[in-house]
Amino acid sequence: MSSSRPLHVLIVEDDRMDCLLLERLLARSALGTCQVQKADRLAAALERLQGQVFDVILLDLGLPDSQGMDSVVQLQAQTSQTPIIVLSGLDDADVATQAVQIGVQDYLIKGQVDASLLERAIRYALERKKAERQLQAAEWRYRTIFENSAVAIMMADEQQRLVSWNQFTEQLLGCCPEQLRGRKVESLYPPQEWERIREVSLRRKGMEHHLETRMIRGDGTVIDVDISLSVVRDSEGQVTGSIGVVQDTTERRRAEASLRESETRLQTIVENLTEGLVVADLDGRLLQWNRAALEMHGFTRLEEGRRLLTELADTFELSTLDGVVLPVERWPLARILKGEELRDWEVRVRRLRGDWQRVFSYGGTLVRAEQGQPLLAVVTVIDITARKQAEEALLVKDWAVDSATSGIAFTDLQGRITFANPSCLKMWGFTQEPEVLHRPLQVFLRSEQEALAAFHATLAAGAWCGELTARRRDGSEFIVQVSAGLVKDQQGRPICLMASLSDVTESRRIHEILDRKQRDLEAIFDAAPVGMLLVSAQMKVVRANDAIRRLSGKEYPEMINQDPCAVLGCLRRVHAAPGDAAVGPCAGCPLRRMMEAALASGTPVHGVEVQPTLNEEGEALQPWLSVSVEPVHVDGARHVVVALNDVTDRKRADQELKDTMEMKSQFISTVSHELRTPMTAMKEAVTIVREEIAGKLNPDQKRFLDIAARNLDRLARLIDEVLDFQKLQAGKVEFHLQAHKVAVLVEEAYATMQPHAAKSQVDLSVDLEPHLPPVVCDSDRIMQVLTNLLSNAIKFTPAGGRVRLSAHRRQDQLAIQVSDTGLGIPRDDLPKLFNRFFRVHRPGKEIKGTGLGLAIVSRIVAGHGGRIEVESEMDRGTTFTVLLPWAGPPTGAEALDPADHRLENLRAGA
Amino acid sequence: MLGLFKAKKKVAQIKILVVDDEPDLVSTVEYRLKFANCSVVTATNGHQGLERAAAEKPDLILLDTNMPGMNGHEMLECLRADPALKNIPVIMVTARCEPQDIAAASARGISDYVTKPFDFAQLMDKIHAVLKDR
């Protein structure tokens, strides 16, 4: 204690003498200057203390207004900082102890105090007080720290009971002091944590240890904590307690976890980026690749990519889109490392040993620190191979759209033109796209209403198809076929409208013409007087016309898709026995056979007359049908067109005619035969007399009988001719065909007619081509022909004339000619020459005969399959030429139905 | 004609049965045949013919086809059915020369036929021919 400052002493002593003594002692001490104040009562002392600060108080325990410790206490209450030295007359250890216990610095016995003692006591008291003060200050400081710490500090005794804790502990554990006092430390931890702590404690053997654990709060929640535990030992090394410093790490943990989570999330994001991300250091060492980047470059493991940039030069070849190969120094990372910032740099990357080529878009930059120094390089990669291909495809499409022959136009959602390809412009008569851009679409169509209707329909339904009248630039109009659609993006939102346009004016016109023609054809088909059916290969009626309707009595719905025979009402099939397949009854049907044959063979059948429909009893029903079947291809499949003509009437007429003919034939036949019988009798009778069997005759009798006989012969001949002709016409004559030498025939004819010719004074000659082959014929009948012709020739040739009989080859036939130099036949009569009963009229010349001769001749020749020709010139002569086939009549001619043959002849007007 | 018959060699009297419903014809034929030295019996229908044939046993029958009652064909059948008569040769005289009639007759066994009006000389030739075969 320095003497720089006087010492302020307060003596609290009621005894004046003692007080003086004390003063004197103080003055003698080496304490320096002392300023003394006196108080003889406690109250006075307290009063003094109120106004002043003293360094030390000397207190007599025996005061009039206070005794013993009480005084001390009161003084202490007034000033805790001032040391108090108690003076007492009693040598009482208990009192001394008591005093010290309550904070008195020293205890002095009055009779035993001297200056040095007092000095020492005061000094010590001051020192002690100072120390005490320092200690208190320190303690206060520690206490403050202790109390205000943001960590919980707990102290436990050797039984591990909490003895002391700071406020934060209460906060941390959410407990009030009562809950903590004397509480077992163990109860603050979850059981397994306590185990851990004990284990660690054991291991650490009482040394300080630090661990992360968990504690239980007052409300039962568990918190994460960091604790530092240390044991407190006494001087002997015995554990007297433990101190634990606890930090609530819950927040920290959460923050850590959150950070970790963020980091993981970030990692995941980076890893799962579709873009590739590569991080490299400033030396060009590629440190990090995300999965996308690895995949793009054809790596499977990260290790493959963690290399120096330069090392990758033998794995990849990079070139610009134009094809210029890039050296490593110009590679994306290299450029970034040089400080460039890359954005969307499109590069073609070829893997040298993987043989693939892709197009990547590289971007990237240097990552700098706060001060701007580069830390890392980050490179982004996007695989745009597909996009590039799509771009190319789009270019191609663009080109296609532009060169399309159809017009293609786009409009925005308000109906303004945003695009029109060249074809479209051309259709409307524009030359440049700008002329139409942004103009509303209805401008290009005649009817605004129609245009808007179509537009809105497209918007609503997504598509619209139809025809509109369009208006060109010059005002002319045309028909346009529109196919419009709504274009949407990937999310289904409409972007624009697209329309495909074609000028269909021409095709419309053609369609109309075709339609009209179609209708005309249908009308013709329907109106055809002949019934017409179009039948499919499946034997179903496809089409029928009006005539069929009348014929069958059915209406169209009953006919279409039905069996044609059923349409005609044939019940043949209906009444087939169950055992017969459907084939059975219809197999006999001529109509069906014709249809099937035509379908199968593709050859038509014409004009066959059938009565195909049968009734229930299997009898043929009217009508008779003249059927023609013509195969045809319709709709790419085989069909047949069946033309049916109801010829029932005609057939009936024919039948009647036939019957009439038959009757006539019969009649002629009968009559002729009847005529013969009397003729025979007459002839015989006349002959008997003429031949003088019944007696001699005079010349006159003979003459007249000759006349009779001659005329009877003539009559007989006439009857024969009629009968013969009738037989020939009826086709009831059988020719006895044999091969005959032509020469023989000719010569016999000559021999027969020669006398006759001589009598008429006509020169008959024969001209025979040598080496003629034999001809198949009926010799009698041919003789008949020749004699007839020769007879005529002789008859019609005046005396002195010539008749020539010749035979020669003509092409592939035998030609026998009878030519005369006679009267000739008028040209007009030539066609009718071979008609029955025709007789050439000659004024002044009566030619006798039935007129059947040539008719018979022509029939015989026809029956041989031959032909007869005649040439004639008036008054010059006539030549008849008989042409015969060498092999005789063809079998076909004889195979003709006799009825038809007769009818044929009839119809030919013979 | 006359000479023709006169020149014919003398034959034994041939008995000929003429069956025909035409009396005029029968008359003329009979006359002629008699002149040709044949004996003649006649019948005017099939039944009569059969009777006469059975009674007279002619050498030849001239049979007309067209007769009332039993016609020539029918008579022919009866003749052929009768053992006593079936061997008598028959020449049919027919106004119709339909092939089927002739064929039918031939089937029944005629020796020959002539058609009306026939040539008497031809008829005689046929008669001789048929009888020569006997």
Side-chain angles (χ1 to χ4, degrees):
Chain A
M1 186 143 124
S2 69
S3 52
S4 56
R5 196 170 63 81
L7 207 66
H8 295 278
V9 182
L10 176 63
I11 300 174
V12 184
E13 172 63 74
D14 62 334
D15 191 282
R16 240 173 126 269
M17 286 309 295
D18 287 336
C19 192
L20 268 171
L21 182 64
L22 282 171
E23 273 183 290
R24 242 192 272 140
L25 285 176
L26 280 172
R28 274 201 225 143
S29 72
L31 287 171
T33 325
C34 298
Q35 290 193 330
V36 179
Q37 299 260 340
K38 291 180 282 224
D40 57 359
R41 302 224 182 315
L42 182 66
L46 288 173
E47 210 184 296
R48 291 231 195 229
L49 282 171
Q50 267 179 4
Q52 286 174 45
V53 176
F54 292 95
D55 295 313
V56 64
I57 301 170
L58 298 172
L59 174 65
D60 178 21
L61 282 179
L63 292 171
D65 56 350
S66 176
Q67 291 290 314
M69 300 304 115
D70 209 26
S71 313
V72 174
V73 172
Q74 284 200 45
L75 282 173
Q76 276 182 333
Q78 188 70 16
T79 167
S80 57
Q81 295 302 316
T82 317
I84 302 170
I85 297 172
V86 163
L87 299 158
S88 174
L90 297 166
D91 188 6
D92 193 335
D94 287 330
V95 177
T97 314
Q98 225 183 351
V100 170
Q101 270 182 349
I102 64 169
V104 162
Q105 295 303 324
D106 211 342
Y107 184 90
L108 295 174
I109 307 199
K110 277 191 200 170
Q112 290 173 354
V113 175
D114 63 15
S116 63
L117 199 66
L118 184 66
E119 183 194 323
R120 207 170 48 240
I122 288 170
R123 265 200 229 277
Y124 288 154
L126 287 170
E127 284 300 331
R128 277 204 294 279
K129 203 65 182 173
K130 197 166 121 190
E132 216 178 89
R133 265 203 303 274
Q134 279 175 344
L135 196 63
Q136 271 178 353
E139 198 190 304
W140 180 88
R141 275 202 300 277
Y142 288 133
R143 190 122 214 127
T144 311
I145 294 170
F146 186 74
E147 280 308 322
N148 295 309
S149 180
V151 296
I153 307 173
M154 299 180 291
M155 279 190 280
D157 61 13
E158 66 275 12
Q159 272 96 44
Q160 293 170 344
R161 279 193 297 262
L162 275 179
V163 293
S164 178
W165 56 89
N166 66 351
Q167 204 174 13
F168 194 78
T169 307
E170 289 167 19
Q171 228 180 316
L172 178 74
L173 294 174
C175 296
C176 58
E178 289 73 34
Q179 289 172 298
L180 292 174
R181 194 163 301 130
R183 189 159 158 189
K184 277 238 145 197
V185 166
E186 187 183 335
S187 67
L188 296 170
Y189 297 94
Q192 59 266 44
E193 293 302 323
W194 181 244
E195 282 305 310
R196 264 185 68 219
I197 292 166
R198 273 175 29 100
E199 193 201 339
V200 172
S201 302
L202 280 167
R203 256 194 297 130
R204 302 278 295 169
K205 288 195 177 56
M207 286 196 298
E208 191 182 288
H209 44 276
H210 177 105
L211 49 120
E212 290 177 10
T213 182
R214 310 173 86 194
M215 291 182 82
I216 307 173
R217 294 186 80 222
D219 59 4
T221 56
V222 177
I223 52 172
D224 295 309
V225 294
D226 244 0
I227 62 171
S228 286
L229 284 172
S230 48
V231 292
V232 179
R233 293 176 203 275
D234 61 12
S235 48
E236 276 100 65
Q238 285 295 103
V239 175
T240 52
S242 60
I243 299 179
V245 178
V246 185
Q247 253 185 331
D248 182 358
T249 56
T250 316
E251 267 316 304
R252 200 193 73 200
R253 290 272 174 77
R254 205 178 306 136
E256 270 175 21
S258 180
L259 192 65
R260 256 202 306 279
E261 220 178 274
S262 284
E263 205 182 299
T264 313
R265 214 179 312 141
L266 193 66
Q267 193 89 339
T268 311
I269 288 171
V270 166
E271 265 312 299
N272 289 308
L273 277 177
T274 49
E275 287 87 27
L277 204 65
V278 185
V279 176
D281 66 15
L282 300 174
D283 297 323
R285 185 175 301 278
L286 300 150
L287 302 169
Q288 275 300 335
W289 295 67
N290 75 344
R291 186 171 49 221
L294 286 173
E295 267 176 26
M296 276 181 216
H297 289 83
F299 296 132
T300 44
R301 298 188 328 273
L302 183 58
E303 292 68 47
E304 291 177 62
R306 283 172 143 246
R307 296 200 271 162
L308 279 175
L309 179 65
T310 45
E311 289 167 22
L312 293 177
D314 40 333
T315 313
F316 298 102
E317 183 193 79
L318 269 66
S319 50
T320 65
L321 290 185
D322 302 326
V324 176
V325 175
L326 296 165
V328 180
E329 307 82 64
R330 302 267 317 138
W331 283 19
L333 176 59
R335 288 174 66 182
I336 292 167
L337 288 172
K338 285 190 198 120
E340 261 188 75
E341 209 174 278
L342 288 186
R343 196 168 300 185
D344 267 339
W345 187 35
E346 295 180 359
V347 173
R348 205 180 293 278
V349 176
R350 194 161 76 86
R351 174 114 187 195
L352 293 173
R353 274 185 300 274
D355 199 30
W356 50 253
Q357 214 185 120
R358 295 178 189 152
V359 182
F360 295 148
S361 171
Y362 284 101
T365 182
L366 284 173
V367 171
R368 294 173 194 274
E370 259 182 26
Q371 283 77 26
Q373 68 269 39
L375 295 170
L376 299 165
V378 173
V379 186
T380 61
V381 198
I382 304 177
D383 187 341
I384 56 167
T385 319
R387 195 188 82 194
K388 273 278 169 245
Q389 283 171 350
E391 276 176 15
E392 274 171 25
L394 202 64
L395 273 173
V396 171
K397 281 205 185 104
D398 252 354
W399 175 84
V401 163
D402 272 344
S403 30
T405 48
S406 297
I408 297 176
F410 285 76
T411 72
D412 61 16
L413 296 174
Q414 286 73 41
R416 288 185 294 260
I417 310 287
T418 53
F419 170 80
N421 76 340
S423 294
C424 180
L425 293 171
K426 199 163 130 193
M427 282 197 319
W428 263 271
F430 290 99
T431 43
Q432 299 281 352
E433 203 185 354
E435 296 178 59
V436 303
L437 279 182
H438 305 305
R439 296 174 67 188
L441 67 94
Q442 49 266 41
V443 164
F444 304 101
L445 297 158
R446 179 179 68 181
S447 160
E448 189 172 315
Q449 209 179 359
E450 270 181 13
L452 287 173
F455 178 74
H456 288 299
T458 314
L459 282 179
W464 183 86
C465 242
E467 284 181 3
L468 295 169
T469 310
R471 189 165 51 201
R472 289 199 191 92
R473 183 194 204 188
D474 61 5
S476 63
E477 290 182 351
F478 64 100
I479 312 280
V480 66
Q481 164 95 29
V482 180
S483 182
L486 191 59
V487 179
K488 296 186 183 160
D489 67 10
Q490 280 183 341
Q491 281 78 37
R493 292 184 295 247
I495 304 174
C496 64
L497 261 79
M498 184 180 123
S500 176
L501 311 153
S502 326
D503 183 343
V504 295
T505 321
E506 199 47 41
S507 84
R508 252 253 217 129
R509 198 172 60 82
I510 291 169
H511 270 139
E512 277 170 15
I513 293 171
L514 282 175
D515 275 342
R516 206 177 42 247
K517 284 210 191 301
Q518 162 99 352
R519 280 195 296 278
D520 290 345
L521 283 171
E522 282 175 6
I524 290 168
F525 181 81
D526 279 333
V530 177
M532 290 177 68
L533 284 172
L534 182 64
V535 179
S536 70
Q538 290 76 38
M539 285 294 156
K540 296 266 179 272
V541 171
V542 176
R543 266 198 92 98
N545 72 349
D546 228 32
I548 293 286
R549 210 163 54 84
R550 287 194 296 268
L551 183 68
S552 68
K554 292 188 168 66
E555 291 301 324
Y556 289 124
E558 296 169 281
M559 292 196 271
I560 303 300
N561 228 18
Q562 299 301 317
D563 186 293
C565 296
V567 167
L568 295 170
C570 179
L571 295 172
R572 196 192 294 252
R573 175 190 287 219
V574 174
H575 291 275
D580 305 333
V583 179
C586 286
C589 170
L591 177 61
R592 200 150 198 103
R593 258 184 297 140
M594 276 165 46
M595 289 196 284
E596 286 167 359
L599 276 166
S601 69
T603 38
V605 183
H606 290 299
V608 177
E609 294 181 359
V610 291
Q611 213 179 5
T613 48
L614 300 184
N615 69 355
E616 289 179 356
E617 283 83 36
E619 293 165 350
L621 287 175
Q622 305 290 16
W624 270 96
L625 301 171
S626 172
V627 179
S628 289
V629 181
E630 188 80 43
V632 73
H633 270 262
V634 168
D635 274 344
R638 271 199 164 162
H639 291 68
V640 280
V641 177
V642 184
L644 304 163
N645 218 353
D646 189 339
V647 294
T648 317
D649 291 341
R650 202 202 68 202
K651 266 290 205 219
R652 206 181 308 127
D654 283 351
Q655 189 64 35
E656 281 172 6
L657 194 59
K658 227 197 291 185
D659 294 341
T660 310
M661 290 297 304
E662 190 64 38
M663 278 193 331
K664 240 202 285 191
S665 254
Q666 285 285 84
F667 177 73
I668 291 171
S669 189
T670 312
V671 166
S672 304
H673 283 116
E674 287 302 307
L675 287 172
R676 281 209 176 140
T677 309
M679 274 252 337
T680 312
M682 275 202 297
K683 192 168 159 218
E684 287 302 298
V686 164
T687 308
I688 289 171
V689 178
R690 220 165 122 246
E691 293 183 359
E692 295 176 332
I693 298 173
K696 274 242 162 245
L697 297 169
N698 66 41
D700 283 337
Q701 286 171 322
K702 205 161 196 222
R703 190 158 56 97
F704 289 111
L705 283 169
D706 281 345
I707 289 169
R710 236 187 355 262
N711 280 287
L712 280 169
D713 281 340
R714 205 165 123 207
L715 193 56
R717 266 203 309 281
L718 285 171
I719 293 171
D720 281 344
E721 258 187 15
V722 170
L723 271 175
D724 205 20
F725 172 77
Q726 182 266 334
K727 267 195 288 193
L728 280 168
Q729 193 199 35
K732 291 206 175 118
V733 168
E734 257 181 37
F735 294 132
H736 301 111
L737 297 168
Q738 260 188 315
H740 294 278
K741 285 209 181 63
V742 180
V744 166
L745 293 169
V746 166
E747 275 158 17
E748 194 180 321
Y750 174 81
T752 309
M753 299 311 292
Q754 168 53 29
H756 188 48
K759 213 191 293 184
S760 301
Q761 292 170 337
V762 166
D763 174 34
L764 179 64
S765 63
V766 171
D767 178 14
L768 197 57
E769 191 186 303
H771 310 303
L772 286 171
V775 63
V776 174
C777 62
D778 183 329
S779 61
D780 289 341
R781 290 298 183 173
I782 295 298
M783 281 309 301
Q784 195 177 352
V785 165
L786 294 179
T787 49
N788 191 295
L789 290 173
L790 285 168
S791 165
N792 282 349
I794 294 163
K795 209 189 308 187
F796 285 97
T797 305
R802 281 194 312 285
V803 170
R804 195 174 65 136
L805 171 64
S806 61
H808 52 267
R809 263 184 255 254
R810 190 197 284 195
Q811 291 167 352
D812 56 348
Q813 290 184 308
L814 169 64
I816 303 177
Q817 282 186 317
V818 174
S819 52
D820 62 55
T821 57
L823 301 172
I825 303 164
R827 195 168 291 258
D828 296 338
D829 291 342
L830 281 174
K832 304 180 239 171
L833 208 56
F834 297 99
N835 293 356
R836 283 180 302 181
F837 313 123
F838 179 80
R839 303 230 263 126
V840 173
H841 284 293
R842 275 320 172 89
K845 271 249 174 198
E846 271 293 328
I847 308 299
K848 308 174 189 86
T850 52
L852 285 175
L854 282 180
I856 291 173
V857 158
S858 89
R859 259 157 197 68
I860 292 172
V861 170
H864 278 79
R867 222 169 67 245
I868 188 160
E869 290 172 354
V870 59
E871 286 169 330
S872 183
E873 211 181 311
M874 296 296 289
D875 298 316
R876 288 291 284 271
T878 309
T879 302
F880 282 87
T881 311
V882 172
L883 294 161
L884 292 173
W886 293 105
T891 42
E894 285 190 317
L896 264 182
D897 178 44
D900 287 329
H901 186 69
R902 274 177 274 162
L903 287 169
E904 282 298 316
N905 294 338
L906 265 181
R907 272 190 237 114
Chain B
M1 274 286 207
L2 198 67
L4 202 62
F5 292 115
K6 288 241 165 116
K8 284 282 187 257
K9 54 183 182 267
K10 270 239 184 233
V11 294
Q13 276 253 316
I14 305 166
K15 191 191 281 188
I16 298 180
L17 170 60
V18 180
V19 186
D20 197 323
D21 65 325
E22 288 275 350
D24 288 343
L25 201 58
V26 170
S27 172
T28 54
V29 168
E30 194 185 352
Y31 196 84
R32 288 277 203 116
L33 286 173
K34 280 193 179 147
F35 196 78
N37 220 5
C38 303
S39 78
V40 178
V41 280
T42 65
T44 53
N45 63 54
H47 290 293
Q48 218 179 47
L50 283 170
E51 276 172 25
R52 291 287 155 82
E56 301 286 339
K57 298 274 192 312
D59 297 312
L60 183 113
I61 303 178
L62 276 180
L63 184 51
D64 181 30
T65 48
N66 247 8
M67 290 185 292
M70 189 191 277
N71 69 20
H73 294 288
E74 288 162 353
M75 189 182 142
L76 186 58
E77 257 189 69
C78 294
L79 281 173
R80 293 303 165 217
D82 190 335
L85 304 173
K86 71 173 184 200
N87 288 323
I88 304 174
V90 173
I91 295 179
M92 288 205 85
V93 177
T94 172
R96 314 164 135 278
C97 56
E98 309 296 330
Q100 51 264 39
D101 299 322
I102 295 163
S106 297
R108 292 193 196 91
I110 52 166
S111 307
D112 208 338
Y113 69 94
V114 288
T115 56
K116 286 193 253 189
F118 49 76
D119 183 67
F120 194 79
Q122 202 186 39
L123 179 62
M124 280 314 295
D125 285 341
K126 287 191 197 259
I127 291 172
H128 282 299
V130 167
L131 289 178
K132 201 180 342 172
D133 291 341
R134 302 253 134 210

